[in-house]
Amino acid sequence: MDFLIESLLSALGLVFAADPDVVHAVWTSLYTSVTATIFAAVVAIPAGVGIGLGRFPGRRAILTGLNTMMALPTVVVGLVLFGFFSRQGPLGSLGLLFTPMALIAGQLVLATPIVANYTVAAVTGADPRIMPTALTLGAGRTRAVWQLLLEIRFGIIAAVVAGFGRVIAEVGVAMMLGGNIRGYTRTMTTAIALETSKGEFAFGLALGIVLIAVALMVNLFLNLLQQH
């Protein structure tokens, strides 16, 4: 018990003293996760709206594929992208492996199906009279879709938040594509794994406290949206 108390106090000291290694790991995690989530939203929200509104051959297969991608192990995503970004891979000449851009690419793959699925759920769960009413009142197709998005905006925001929550806490992609390079690609999760294995329990605990705080804020925000 004394060890846990001492470690907790040391961890809090590192957090409140803004230890440079802690700050950089937190910044790298937030920067890559937010960037990947923004890109995922740009791709997945229009796709989710199209799938939710459309009635076309193959729609069920696409939905099944999105559901499957939501459950993909992060190490599998990291392994596949590692093959693409490695020196012998088709994208090896770009030199992306073990860079923040590789982290963002991996997190983008993880976040996109989540944002798309949540968007589809929001669209299919909306009042079916919204678009016909808008069209009847003289709105064009684009304006009617925009009106639908305004009505389901809380569901769309929840989709983006859920995507961010998925990538901020993952470790497989970050470890395999980022390489856990100190001061460059080390994230909160990879630093926790490394420092704890080295016996630096207080340092890992400090990052764990920050990660839990971020996850708590994300979930509180998501719960507030769900209440709406």
Side-chain angles (χ1 to χ4, degrees):
M1 182 62 71
D2 291 341
F3 168 73
L4 289 176
I5 294 175
E6 291 177 3
S7 298
L8 179 59
L9 292 175
S10 298
L12 291 174
L14 289 171
V15 173
F16 289 112
D19 179 82
D21 287 334
V22 172
V23 171
H24 195 277
V26 172
W27 163 249
T28 302
S29 291
L30 292 176
Y31 165 69
T32 56
S33 298
V34 169
T35 304
T37 304
I38 291 172
F39 286 145
V42 171
V43 174
I45 292 175
V49 172
I51 295 169
L53 293 176
R55 296 295 181 268
F56 51 86
R59 181 175 182 270
R60 187 176 297 275
I62 292 175
L63 290 173
T64 301
L66 287 175
N67 288 327
T68 302
M69 290 182 66
M70 285 182 65
L72 278 179
T74 60
V75 289
V76 174
V77 175
L79 180 64
V80 173
L81 291 180
F82 185 93
F84 276 92
F85 294 147
S86 65
R87 188 168 298 178
Q88 293 78 24
L91 301 178
S93 60
L94 298 178
L96 296 178
L97 191 61
F98 304 142
T99 67
M101 288 304 299
L103 285 176
I104 292 170
Q107 292 173 347
L108 173 63
V109 173
L110 293 176
T112 298
I114 294 177
V115 179
N117 261 320
Y118 271 68
T119 302
V120 171
V123 171
T124 55
D127 191 331
R129 297 170 297 181
I130 295 174
M131 286 194 60
T133 301
L135 293 171
T136 301
L137 294 174
R141 177 76 177 177
T142 302
R143 182 64 181 272
V145 171
W146 178 251
Q147 187 61 42
L148 173 66
L149 290 175
L150 290 177
E151 293 295 330
I152 63 171
R153 60 189 180 278
F154 291 113
I156 298 295
I157 296 174
V160 175
V161 172
F164 174 77
R166 162 75 158 157
V167 298
I168 188 67
E170 74 82 30
V171 63
V173 164
M175 187 71 77
M176 297 186 70
L177 299 181
N180 199 21
I181 302 172
R182 181 181 179 183
Y184 188 48
T185 60
R186 183 168 296 176
T187 65
M188 286 188 283
T189 52
T190 58
I192 289 171
L194 176 67
E195 297 301 329
T196 302
S197 67
K198 289 165 53 180
E200 298 291 339
F201 184 73
F203 187 87
L205 187 58
L207 289 171
I209 291 171
V210 177
L211 186 59
I212 290 173
V214 172
L216 178 61
M217 287 187 291
V218 168
N219 280 284
L220 287 175
F221 183 58
L222 187 57
N223 287 332
L224 288 174
L225 292 177
Q226 289 173 341
Q227 290 176 10
H228 286 278

